[in-house]
Amino acid sequence: MNDRPDRGLADALERRADSIAPGPRFSAEEIVQAGRRAARRRTTRIRVSAAATVAALAVVAAPAVIDAVRRPTHPAPAASRSEPPRGLPTACPVERLPVPAGSVMDMVIGMDPTGRHIVGRTNPGRGGTGLDMLIWDNGRLQVIPVPGDQQLPTDINSRGEAVGVSGVVGERAWIYRDGAVTHLPGQSTRANAINEGGVVVGSNGLRQPLVWRTPTDQPTVLPMPDGDWEGEASDISADGTIVGTLNRQRTTLFQAYAWLPDGTLRELPPPVVDGERAVATRAMSISEDWVAGTAKGPRGDVPTRWNLRTGEVQTFPGMRMGGRGVSADGWLVGSREGQGLLASHQGMVTLPDLHDHDTDMSNYAVAISRDGRLVAGGGSVGGPRAVPVVWRCR
């Protein structure tokens, strides 16, 4: 993998779509980065051709209850919390989410901290480049048209307010609230995340990290280190802490940062990966004290978590792709060899397959609720594409 987090997942999505007839495109990189906490976008976009096979998929199937398999992680530092963290779940039954009749590709992108709302998008099979937003409210599906083309919802909060970006040239950030989609102020903007208070973060065409304090406010450029820096804001917590990634202009040495509620800019320390200091880091999601992202070592990007309160930093080399979602207890979601994973310093849980794990993209987890009890992503039904699923952990 290169400096793009989850590039391997993007490539796998691209290969999957190449075996299917073309239609409206999906962005593979944004599939694996957009979404809550996903984390999320880069300067260029990898587009994936959507599936052209029209299939009316069933509504939620009965849960396939399979005990999750525990797997040890590599040696990790002891947790430095003031109270013992909860243990990882022992079982995570998988369920298929309902999708629109006639759609040709559907996917999960993010989840609100409570787990009530899950956001995604669909290729409705109409032809052209228009894509609809999907919101699952406690499992009930809503299909919401969004103006423009190549529509990409990126995040949702517990009030059901969603944000995203549309357009290939001249991108525009938008917000969905009170049953309507409106553009956020500013030109050439991208919205990456929204918190419980309705504060939105993202970036603009100049690669400057932005925050919209309200949906009607002009965006404010977040502070950066002295010199020629650029970057984006990827996620924002309930208390207003923002995380993202910055780099010096004309370089690819990305560095993970946090903007604290008092305005302090704080670099997140690079971990040691395979015996060497990471050459680049990215922060993609936040929940309570925990920040998740990736660190680039000699063999590529490794899912990583930081604790803002204790200073702890830990990598997860046993997880091939991850860092897009983290719970309040520091549990990360990701995937490896076609299976979804849930990991912490205590170990790793393999999430059960919906059908099989014959390919790298058979099953993957992209979002997790604050309490870690609900995980969302894609699951294989035995064909060339995954369908939206949730794992209910206990």
Side-chain angles (χ1 to χ4, degrees):
M1 291 182 285
N2 60 16
D3 57 315
R4 293 172 183 271
D6 290 341
R7 175 61 185 270
L9 182 53
D11 289 344
L13 283 168
E14 199 162 27
R15 290 194 301 271
R16 174 190 294 277
D18 283 344
S19 66
I20 307 171
R25 297 179 299 170
F26 288 83
S27 163
E29 177 177 325
E30 288 172 334
I31 292 167
V32 300
Q33 294 182 184
R36 177 149 182 107
R37 321 213 252 292
R40 331 239 190 185
R41 263 134 319 273
R42 300 294 161 254
T43 307
T44 59
R45 302 169 72 182
I46 302 170
R47 296 288 175 182
V48 174
S49 300
T53 304
V54 177
L57 297 178
V59 295
V60 179
V65 181
I66 308 172
D67 281 348
V69 179
R70 288 187 178 273
R71 190 178 288 174
T73 57
H74 292 248
S80 52
R81 299 167 59 94
S82 58
E83 58 185 43
R86 292 183 301 126
L88 286 168
T90 57
C92 296
V94 60
E95 301 176 13
R96 190 165 157 178
L97 288 168
V99 297
S103 63
V104 296
M105 183 178 278
D106 313 280
M107 64 190 59
V108 167
I109 294 173
M111 181 193 302
D112 87 72
T114 70
R116 171 179 171 176
H117 298 98
I118 298 171
V119 68
R121 73 172 179 179
T122 180
N123 175 352
R126 297 188 295 259
T129 58
L131 304 166
D132 292 335
M133 177 167 60
L134 302 178
I135 293 178
W136 291 271
D137 183 350
N138 284 328
R140 296 185 298 274
L141 176 65
Q142 303 174 57
V143 181
I144 300 163
V146 176
D149 61 3
Q150 294 295 340
Q151 300 89 334
L152 179 70
T154 54
D155 197 16
I156 193 166
N157 65 19
S158 64
R159 297 187 294 193
E161 298 168 334
V163 293
V165 60
S166 295
V168 178
V169 178
E171 293 178 322
R172 291 289 304 276
W174 49 260
I175 184 169
Y176 170 76
R177 60 173 184 158
D178 301 327
V181 176
T182 57
H183 285 121
L184 291 167
Q187 299 296 320
S188 187
T189 52
R190 306 170 67 85
N192 291 342
I194 183 170
N195 74 358
E196 298 302 278
V199 181
V200 179
V201 296
S203 63
N204 61 19
L206 298 176
R207 290 280 299 158
Q208 296 173 316
L210 301 180
V211 58
W212 288 265
R213 297 298 176 185
T214 76
T216 58
D217 285 348
Q218 287 292 327
T220 300
V221 177
L222 291 166
M224 290 180 279
D226 293 337
D228 297 329
W229 288 76
E230 62 186 11
E232 67 174 349
S234 298
D235 199 9
I236 180 169
S237 68
D239 72 357
T241 302
I242 299 168
V243 296
T245 303
L246 301 176
N247 62 282
R248 289 189 179 274
Q249 293 177 10
R250 297 174 295 279
T251 75
T252 56
L253 297 178
F254 300 100
Q255 296 174 233
Y257 276 88
W259 291 266
L260 304 183
D262 64 3
T264 302
L265 178 63
R266 177 174 165 185
E267 182 181 358
L268 303 183
V272 173
V273 181
D274 293 333
E276 298 182 17
R277 178 185 168 98
V279 297
T281 54
R282 293 183 185 268
M284 299 191 290
S285 58
I286 183 170
S287 181
E288 305 286 342
D289 296 326
W290 290 102
V291 177
T294 61
K296 187 174 184 180
R299 292 182 291 179
D301 292 333
V302 177
T304 302
R305 71 176 187 178
W306 294 264
N307 188 291
L308 294 177
R309 179 174 54 84
T310 67
E312 174 189 344
V313 57
Q314 180 184 356
T315 60
F316 293 83
M319 183 181 284
R320 182 186 170 201
M321 292 164 288
R324 290 202 50 228
V326 62
S327 75
D329 282 291
W331 301 352
L332 269 65
V333 292
S335 63
R336 179 181 61 188
E337 298 175 356
Q339 293 185 291
L341 298 175
L342 179 61
S344 81
H345 75 284
Q346 302 162 318
M348 192 174 294
V349 170
T350 300
L351 300 171
D353 299 345
L354 186 64
H355 182 272
D356 57 44
H357 54 274
D358 294 338
T359 70
D360 284 348
M361 283 305 302
S362 293
N363 305 273
Y364 54 91
V366 297
I368 186 170
S369 61
R370 181 171 51 217
D371 65 6
R373 298 308 182 190
L374 192 68
V375 176
S380 171
V381 288
R385 59 193 171 97
V387 298
V389 299
V390 294
W391 290 271
R392 300 186 184 278
C393 296
R394 58 178 186 268

